[in-house]
Amino acid sequence: MELQILVPNRPKPSVPVQNPAPKEDCRIFKAKGACPFGDKCRYKHVKALPSNNSRQDATKNQ
């Protein structure tokens, strides 16, 4: 006797399913400014804004 497993045939979607928008920032991109995964990375690539810390530190030291 042979056991057969029946699997239902599901139609393939006509439009490719897109992943939801990433919620977390990419740690590699944040640290290095580039990510080896590029557009296929599952995380957000957010460029850091220049900070004004150097100007604030200079006024604190005076």
Side-chain angles (χ1 to χ4, degrees):
M1 183 187 315
E2 189 175 321
L3 179 66
Q4 293 182 356
I5 300 174
L6 300 176
V7 179
N9 290 332
R10 295 184 186 185
K12 292 183 180 180
S14 59
V15 178
V17 178
Q18 294 180 350
N19 293 335
K23 297 178 182 177
E24 296 180 39
D25 293 344
C26 177
R27 291 184 286 169
I28 298 170
F29 187 83
K30 222 180 221 186
K32 297 183 178 183
C35 176
F37 298 104
D39 293 339
K40 294 183 180 183
C41 184
R42 68 168 71 174
Y43 300 104
K44 290 190 294 188
H45 291 167
V46 180
K47 292 185 179 182
L49 297 174
S51 64
N52 294 331
N53 291 343
S54 59
R55 190 173 64 172
Q56 290 174 352
D57 291 341
T59 57
K60 286 181 184 178
N61 293 336
Q62 292 178 1

